[in-house]
Each structure stands twice: as structure tokens, then as C-alpha cells.
Amino acid sequence: MSRVLAMALGVLIGCGPGRASAQTVTTAESPDGSFRNPLKVHGADPWLMHHDGWYYLTATTGVDVQMRKARRLGELKDAVDYVVWKDDDPSRNRDVWAPEFHRLDGGTGIGPRWYLYFTASDGREPHHRMYVAESAGDDPMGPYTFKAKLLTDPKDEFYAIDGTVLTMPDGSRYFVWCGRPSTAGQGLYISRMTNPWTLTGPRLYLEVDGFGCEHVREGPVALRQDGHDRTFLIYSACGADTPDYKLGMLSIAAGDDPMDPAGWKQHTEPVFTRNDAAKVYGPGHNSFFRSPNGREDWIAYHAKTDTNRGYADRSARAQKFTWNADGTPNFGKPVGTDVDVAPPSGEPKPGR
């Protein structure tokens, strides 16, 4: 997508002058549409999806929610970021982390809307909470208006970040997030949803393995293979500033109650970890999307470029994954930034 067209689209969706962020221009796609990671240099906690012919990508900025779009996955590298959400309320306009956008039915006959879930605070620890904004129409880029703070505990006492929506095969919906207190320091919680902005009933703490890391379980995201009834909950363990950040996995059968701990199965080994040979460290906090023709499953994630502790070098990346014979996902190893990645199936040809 050309920069002129991107800017025109930004004006049409109400982003207005001055709302596009600065970025470094990177190498474009190859003639066959293959690309090399990363898709966004400063791209921690990427949420990437394909909808109605476009790829959309958001990542943590700390101050607002920015989104870029492109017709081809590789074109996201050069796409312009537009601010789709920025809050003036000082209680929730700092530490804006891990935005996710979900297309859900808002009820009351209004039809599907995009719900933008994000972490925010007043800049003080541990005041981080989960919030949601609602789109005016059926466009992932908004415009959005503030909808609600998600009350993850009855008295709104506890830290909450990295919230996501889990929809079971029967249509029941749940919210899963990283919260406190927990025996692991920061652990996963789940609660029922009555609508996209309201949680109801008690919250349940999910006991999950940290694979030797004591303090962090975060970034949950749901995954289910077409035609199968088992739902997977992929989560990140260990510190996000370390090279050992990695993905773990829970699963639950269609007939089991997500609010019953007995229904969840812990998979004993990490499912996505550092690849020292390829110089990929700390892969985690991911999302999932389908290829344009629906035939391939892809994972988006961030990873670090070296083994030094720190947050600044996390970049957004993507690669295809497959499924094992037992129905579990096989993410393989994170590929290096010197590897040509074939484009998702069903993309338009380059230049069209």
C-alpha cells in the first residue's frame, strides 16, 4: 500500500493530521511476496489479524494504541502507524500496553463492533487495570470511544494486564488476564463475560507452569483448530525482558467448564522457546491469524535480538505453524531475521 493511500485512509477514519507516528522504513518485500522479519521494529506484544482483505497490526507503545494495515503481510514493514486510541484521562493514559482488537456482537441489535482491549494506568505501580473501547462501526481502525473499565475483581483492588477474550465452541465467552495476587507473583485469571465490556461472577485463578521461572505468567491468547473441539490457551512465562521468555500451553475440551480448574490440562513442556542458532531470543506474547484463503495458521510474536536484559529490542514477527497428529499446535522454532518467509496463501500478487 502506498504512503499516499495510507494517509488518505487515515484521514477517512478520523485519525487526522499529526496522528501518524514516525517510523523507520525497512526493506520491502521480494518480487515473489516473501519477506523477512521483523514486521515492526519496535513491536512488543503484537496483535495481528487478517480481516476483509487487510492485515492489521498493533503493538505496545506505552502512551496510545497505534494500528497499521496492509494488503500483504510483508507490506506491514513499511506501513504507516495511525493512532486509533489515545486517552486524556490521567488515571488511564500511561503504561498503555498489549492492545488487542476483537470483532464481537455488542448486543441490542447494533451488530458486530470492534472492541479494543488494553492495559493502562496512571503511571504508578500497581495501578494497572484493563479497559475496553468500542468502534463506531465495523472497521478495525475505528474510530473508537471509551466503553468501560473491566472490573477483574469486585472491589477493583488488584493489578490486571494483558486481557484477552476466550470464546468456547458453544458460544460462551470468558475474559482471561494476568493479575495479582497469585502464588506465582503474576498469574492467570479467568472470569465469565456477560457482554464485551462486563465481567460477572467470581474470578478463577489458573495454576499454570512457569517452566522454572517463578514470577510471571502473562499474555494469554486462545487458539482452536477448525473442526476440532479442544481449545488451547497459550501464555507467556518468564520475564519479558529476558532471553528465556517463552510460550506455555493449557487446553480444555469443549464440554468442560472453563471455570472449573479440573477441566484445564497443563502441557508439560514449553511450546515456543529461544532459538540461539538463529539468534532469536525471548519469543512470546503472541497472537494468531489465518491466511487470506483460510488454509494456513500463523503466529505473530515478539522476540529479542540478543541475550541482554531489556525491553527496547523486542520486535514483531510472524511465521506459519502446523498441527500435530494429536491435534496440538506445532509452532516449530522461531526463524531468524535472515530467513525468507513465504507469504501466507491466498495473498494478492505483489504489485496488484
Side-chain angles (χ1 to χ4, degrees):
M1 181 174 66
S2 71
R3 293 187 180 278
V4 173
L5 177 56
M7 292 179 180
L9 286 170
V11 172
L12 287 173
I13 63 171
C15 294
R19 302 299 293 276
S21 70
Q23 65 175 31
T24 301
V25 177
T26 55
T27 304
E29 295 177 293
S30 65
D32 66 355
S34 62
F35 65 92
R36 292 186 178 186
N37 284 309
L39 295 174
K40 185 174 184 179
V41 174
H42 301 292
D45 314 326
W47 188 261
L48 198 163
M49 68 172 299
H50 185 268
H51 172 71
D52 199 23
W54 293 90
Y55 293 98
Y56 297 87
L57 172 64
T58 61
T60 289
T61 70
V63 295
D64 55 24
V65 178
Q66 299 176 15
M67 191 178 296
R68 61 177 62 181
K69 62 186 289 190
R71 287 290 190 185
R72 301 180 52 78
L73 187 60
E75 291 172 353
L76 285 172
K77 295 168 69 74
D78 297 329
V80 175
D81 283 320
Y82 284 96
V83 176
V84 299
W85 177 255
K86 187 174 179 64
D87 207 320
D88 294 328
D89 187 326
S91 70
R92 56 174 191 257
N93 65 1
R94 299 182 64 182
D95 298 339
V96 182
W97 299 339
E100 296 188 7
F101 48 103
H102 296 258
R103 189 174 185 262
L104 305 170
D105 186 352
T108 64
I110 66 172
R113 292 289 185 270
W114 290 92
Y115 290 91
L116 177 62
Y117 297 90
F118 58 95
T119 303
S121 80
D122 59 3
R124 293 183 292 170
E125 172 75 20
H127 292 180
H128 303 78
R129 298 293 188 272
M130 287 304 309
Y131 299 91
V132 58
E134 182 185 64
S135 68
D138 194 14
D139 186 340
M141 296 190 78
Y144 288 91
T145 57
F146 182 78
K147 190 67 176 179
K149 174 192 279 190
L150 290 162
L151 296 180
T152 56
D153 61 273
K155 296 182 180 181
D156 190 27
E157 295 180 298
F158 299 125
Y159 179 96
I161 65 171
D162 294 358
T164 195
V165 177
L166 162 66
T167 302
M168 293 295 286
D170 64 1
S172 58
R173 190 170 293 147
Y174 302 83
F175 196 67
V176 190
W177 70 97
C178 167
R180 299 176 188 164
S182 80
T183 57
Q186 287 181 203
L188 299 185
Y189 288 86
I190 184 171
S191 182
R192 298 183 189 275
M193 302 182 79
T194 53
N195 56 46
W197 58 90
T198 307
L199 310 187
T200 185
R203 69 179 192 163
L204 171 70
Y205 174 63
L206 296 176
E207 189 73 47
V208 301
D209 196 343
F211 310 109
C213 297
E214 296 182 359
H215 300 299
V216 179
R217 292 96 169 98
E218 62 186 19
V221 60
L223 173 66
R224 187 165 53 249
Q225 185 182 13
D226 283 353
H228 292 252
D229 64 358
R230 181 161 288 275
T231 298
F232 300 94
L233 188 67
I234 311 300
Y235 64 92
S236 298
C238 301
D241 61 338
T242 73
D244 293 317
Y245 201 52
K246 64 193 68 175
L247 297 182
M249 183 169 74
L250 300 175
S251 64
I252 189 169
D256 290 337
D257 182 1
M259 298 302 296
D260 181 355
W264 290 98
K265 175 186 176 182
Q266 174 74 56
H267 292 252
T268 58
E269 298 293 330
V271 292
F272 202 55
T273 62
R274 59 191 281 175
N275 183 358
D276 289 33
K279 299 182 180 180
V280 181
Y281 308 100
H285 203 125
N286 71 289
S287 56
F288 300 108
F289 63 99
R290 305 297 300 275
S291 62
N293 63 9
R295 297 177 182 175
E296 295 176 350
D297 293 290
W298 284 66
I299 180 173
Y301 59 96
H302 75 234
K304 291 169 55 64
T305 56
D306 59 44
T307 58
N308 295 327
R309 294 198 68 156
Y311 297 102
D313 63 337
R314 297 175 298 169
S315 59
R317 311 173 184 207
Q319 63 190 68
K320 184 173 69 172
F321 70 92
T322 59
W323 296 87
N324 297 313
D326 64 357
T328 57
N330 185 341
F331 301 125
K333 295 181 178 180
V335 300
T337 56
D338 60 348
V339 173
D340 292 326
V341 179
S345 60
E347 281 193 350
K349 298 297 182 183
R352 295 184 62 185

